[in-house]
Amino acid sequence: MVACSVGLLTRLSLRVQRSQVQHPLRRLLSCPGTVAADLRREEQSSGSAETGSEDRTPKKRFSEVQNERREQAQRTVLIHCPDKINEKKFLKFLSQHGPINSHFFYESFGLYAAVEFCQKESVTSLQNITRTPSLGPEAAIPFKSRYLNLKLRNSLNQTSELSSIQCSNQSSPSSKKLYQLLCCAESVDDQLNTLLREFQLTEENTRLRYLTCSLIEDVAAAYFPDCAVRPFGSSVNSFGKLGCDLDMFLDLDEIGKFTAQKTSGNFLMEFQVKNVPSERVATQKILSVIGECLDQFGPGCVGVQRILNARCPLVRFSHQASGFQCDLTTNNRIALKSSELLYMYGALDSRVRALVFSVRCWARAHSLTSSIPGAWITNFSLTMMVIFFLQRRSPPILPTLDYLKTLADAEDKCIIEGHNCTFVGDLNRIKPSRNTETLELLLKEFFEYFGNFAFNKNSINIRQGREQNKPESSPLHIQNPFETSLNVSKNVSQSQLQKFVDLARESAWILHQEGKDRPSPSSNQPWGLAALLLPSVANNMSLSKKKKKPASERIKNLLDSIKSSGAENSTATNGRRAISTQA
Ligand code: CTP
Ligand code: MG
């Protein structure tokens, strides 16, 4: 079916002028999205710090991005609107409460508007004229939040003024559209960048994630007034795909900070508190109450589950208004730190995100990953594998975590629960890589590398950037970067790992064959990344070729040919491959 839709499009004649290695930053800036948007804004700001020889654009720290977006979310309200609305009048009505900085509409089982005021006071002013609905026979719990409902008075009189609203897109493209886009691309590199552009979180989706956290923070603040609810994981580490879950961290440490500042003189005042046997029990009790609160009072929070006996206790729920599946945890600060680390890796070189997105989409397309927890590999593990692979290139595309630690200053020092989580927070202190390999080459070599990795004896370790002996017998061992005794992929079974290895080998082979005989534009066949993402097509292609040679021979031939092309130092093939400058 997809092959047919692909056939509707003629490939651009430009395809003969295959990819050039673009400057990493220029490539990144051509993709509208969160990190790219932040970097674009940064470009205009002053205060440039000394960076490596190539890239002198100042980049924001993770904590700066988090703080700015959190503050922005606190000035924002979420409004459920009638399906048709007069936008101009709507904004005029709201601006009685103060100037509006930005707004956008989106659809999620109804029309919603996220409206950001310039000042927080405007939100309070709007809340002051907002009433609690009277529901007839039902009763409302009068919880006042920033999630509001707009009703039209005399809607019949206004019909002529109402119009449909331009909505911001919150979902990833359909498979059909994606394959069309991929097949129209100019090169495999262009395909990877297209995939990134289509799947990465948009500016609006990112705002909605921070806003949702901020709304949940308001509920938790009823008990813990100085708490913060911070997004972590793929919502903020720059590897999030549209539709990914929203991981939230209920940060109660802010409370301690405020208290510490207020102490003075010889007296030390402490709150009377209840003691519980352990940190874990405290976490469980807090989450249990917040979960109950979200369930009973939290506007738009449905399907609340309290999963308190998990290794990391959590409250899981759906936030109806935003459409996000949310996981709320507390006492999970290390995960926030690993999100910061991944954010740094994602911002260091634009090829990182493009490669991670492609590998994540490839794994999803082949059912290697799933939204249901189980023995499969996770997106987090896949990201760690890509980072490790990029640390192993020559010259390396990404630095090791140990190296990032050597660049840290006093401000970066961070010990969490006895684990040293120190690494440099200022991206501008890290020199850009001299490696100029194309995405096409990297994707092929990623599959090749992990298709032949000695998983039975080696562990993946991004702290040192080299393979290490496995400390335990799990089929796949990826060391947690901060809690080094933990394996982030402990859940992965031998059969799932084998499936990953088999598919990686097949994919390396498909890409390699493609480099030699790409299907002609008239053949209506998906090519490059499109062929890899479509399991049935990929299977058909490999099956038809399997008839020619046994798998072992094909793999051997592949390895031989890759070795020999490596010896030629990756000179251009079909005019597509840019030069690999191995220094
Ligand atoms: N995490 C971890 N160790 C694990 C699993 C998760 O440290 N074994 C941390 C990581 O920081 C991860 C975050 O928890 O980014 C959220 O986990 P998860 O939602 O599983 O992964 P994401 O990176 O958010 O990816 P996805 O898009 O699949 O949600
Ligand atoms: Mg997640």
Side-chain angles (χ1 to χ4, degrees), residues 287-298 304 306 315:
L287 285 179
S288 171
V289 171
I290 303 294
E292 184 68 18
C293 240
L294 291 176
D295 197 17
Q296 304 291 340
F297 311 142
V304 180
R306 287 176 288 173
V315 175

Side-chain angles (χ1 to χ4, degrees), residues 509-542:
W509 185 77
I510 289 170
L511 283 178
H512 190 73
Q513 286 300 111
E514 282 234 334
K516 290 199 288 193
D517 54 357
R518 175 143 299 162
S520 75
S522 56
S523 71
N524 293 342
Q525 284 219 42
W527 59 279
L529 190 57
L532 291 192
L533 292 185
L534 189 63
S536 55
V537 173
N539 287 342
N540 288 342
M541 283 176 73
S542 57

Side-chain angles (χ1 to χ4, degrees), residues 232-235 237 239-241 244-247 311 327 332 334-336 338-339 342 360 378-381 383 480-481 483 487-489:
F232 70 98
S234 58
S235 297
N237 66 18
F239 297 113
K241 274 187 350 196
C244 68
D245 69 354
L246 173 54
D247 301 294
R311 191 187 74 79
D327 278 351
N332 192 15
I334 292 186
L336 195 68
S338 54
S339 302
L342 262 50
R360 282 185 171 206
T378 62
N379 282 327
F380 181 56
S381 296
T383 308
N480 184 304
E483 292 175 272
N487 171 11
V488 304
S489 52

Side-chain angles (χ1 to χ4, degrees), residues 108-126:
S108 169
F109 299 107
L111 180 68
Y112 290 85
V115 182
E116 178 204 351
F117 285 100
C118 294
Q119 288 132 15
K120 248 186 190 174
E121 294 71 37
S122 306
V123 174
T124 319
S125 167
L126 176 62

Side-chain angles (χ1 to χ4, degrees), residues 353-364:
R353 294 177 67 229
L355 205 57
V356 169
F357 271 72
S358 296
V359 170
R360 282 185 171 206
C361 285
W362 166 83
R364 191 74 193 87

